[in-house]
Amino acid sequence: MLRLVLGPLNRHRSVLGIFTALGLIVVLTLLTEVGGLLLWLAYGIGELLHQRRRKIITPAVFVALYSITTLAVLPAAAPLLGRVALNCFEDGKHAYAANSPFYCALNRHYVTPKVKRVLEGVSDRMERKHPGSVVSYLDGGFPLGIGIPLLPHLSHNDGRKLDLAFFYKDKNTGEPARKGGAWFIGYWAFAPAWALLSTDPASPREGALRWRLGWLQWAFTDQELDETRTADLVRFLTQGPASKPVQRLFLEPNLKHHLGFKSSKIGFAGWNAARHDDHLHFQVF
């Protein structure tokens, strides 16, 4: 039993091995909330089952533990703590899905029931106005809400916030992409016309989270912002029945101006927060 509790700290491990294991545990905790604890348990179980083969047993045990926890335990436990899992894939009822399965695999798709209802209402309106379009969500929150920050975000710690991907279309043909998001991650495909907002001499110094990622923008040269559908997405979040619980929506000021919005719900996250000309962020009361 002591071996199970000690996990990666068992005495026959090298110092380098212990620090590597602890580093992995920290990284998995920050990425998934529960992955670090499950890896710790996997190290302990590997020691109990077979010390000499623990290098094979430990990863296998971790994959099994993580899969069971992610697919079965957390979806059942999170509602007891006031959070629910968003659908990872389209379910035929509401036209939304995770931008990539990796958001669900990392347990970053948990929100309050109110946020889920807003997303369902907005995706229904998008489907009616733009048949075939699928709203893609990015980071929401962790399932347990035990104080672990959802990095690199400053505020996604209470389940009341959700990021949505913009809609794009093929620059050459004008053909709209069915789902939101320029690529599988969804972030960092900055709307080109507004990509250098802070070059204005009057702008204050940018914070560490306002990444430019100019080296990455070449990957999106064949795509451009679908202003019509993106504007409708913003409009449905700030106007109409589904928007009533929405407290705030973050969008870059010049993008807000370009798309013609004046709603007081649409604000600027600030110079020390992430940019919002690649995605939008909304939060509920």
Side-chain angles (χ1 to χ4, degrees):
M1 183 58 69
L2 184 60
R3 289 179 181 174
L4 178 63
V5 174
L6 290 177
L9 303 180
N10 285 283
R11 65 180 183 274
H12 58 273
R13 290 182 175 276
S14 67
V15 174
L16 178 60
I18 290 175
F19 275 99
T20 300
L22 292 178
L24 287 173
I25 288 170
V26 170
V27 169
L28 283 172
T29 299
L30 293 176
L31 284 178
T32 69
E33 190 176 46
V34 299
L37 174 61
L38 297 177
L39 181 58
W40 188 289
L41 291 176
Y43 275 116
I45 293 173
E47 294 286 343
L48 286 175
L49 294 179
H50 204 300
Q51 292 183 27
R52 293 184 178 180
R53 296 184 179 179
R54 64 180 183 273
K55 290 183 179 180
I56 298 175
I57 294 175
T58 297
V61 170
F62 171 72
V63 171
L65 286 175
Y66 190 83
S67 299
I68 293 171
T69 302
T70 297
L71 296 175
V73 177
L74 292 178
L80 302 177
L81 301 171
R83 303 192 182 189
V84 294
L86 296 173
N87 297 333
C88 297
F89 306 98
E90 297 174 65
D91 63 356
K93 297 179 180 179
H94 305 286
Y96 80 84
N99 190 74
S100 169
F102 110 100
Y103 285 102
C104 296
L106 297 181
N107 302 316
R108 302 167 79 93
H109 63 303
Y110 286 84
V111 294
T112 63
K114 187 180 291 186
V115 171
K116 185 174 183 179
R117 288 194 294 269
V118 169
L119 178 60
E120 290 173 347
V122 168
S123 63
D124 290 347
R125 292 188 67 182
M126 286 295 295
E127 168 63 22
R128 287 194 295 269
K129 186 163 185 180
H130 304 282
S133 295
V134 177
V135 176
S136 296
Y137 68 83
L138 308 173
D139 275 334
F142 282 138
L144 304 180
I146 55 178
I148 297 173
L150 190 81
L151 299 177
H153 304 280
L154 299 177
S155 65
H156 285 239
N157 57 359
D158 56 11
R160 297 191 301 112
K161 287 89 175 181
L162 182 65
D163 289 346
L164 301 181
F166 289 163
F167 282 96
Y168 293 83
K169 59 184 178 181
D170 189 288
K171 185 181 294 185
N172 301 312
T173 65
E175 184 70 20
R178 182 168 177 266
K179 291 184 63 177
W183 64 324
F184 76 99
I185 291 180
Y187 294 103
W188 311 325
F190 301 114
W194 309 278
L196 300 179
L197 172 65
S198 63
T199 56
D200 182 343
S203 299
R205 186 173 181 178
E206 292 183 315
L209 292 178
R210 287 185 64 83
W211 304 334
R212 291 180 178 274
L213 300 180
W215 57 269
L216 181 62
Q217 301 312 300
W218 67 268
F220 314 119
T221 53
D222 291 334
Q223 302 182 65
E224 64 181 357
L225 184 68
D226 187 328
E227 296 184 12
T228 300
R229 287 189 298 165
T230 299
D232 282 337
L233 179 62
V234 174
R235 186 174 297 109
F236 295 154
L237 282 166
T238 55
Q239 300 174 19
S243 71
K244 290 182 179 179
V246 177
Q247 178 185 26
R248 198 70 164 156
L249 186 148
F250 290 142
L251 205 62
E252 290 298 307
N254 47 0
L255 186 53
K256 173 184 176 180
H257 174 75
H258 180 84
L259 295 177
F261 290 108
K262 297 182 180 180
S263 172
S264 60
K265 288 188 176 184
I266 304 175
F268 177 44
W271 295 103
N272 291 314
R275 290 167 55 168
H276 289 85
D277 52 354
D278 61 333
H279 73 283
L280 63 87
H281 160 116
F282 80 88
Q283 61 192 55
V284 301
F285 285 101

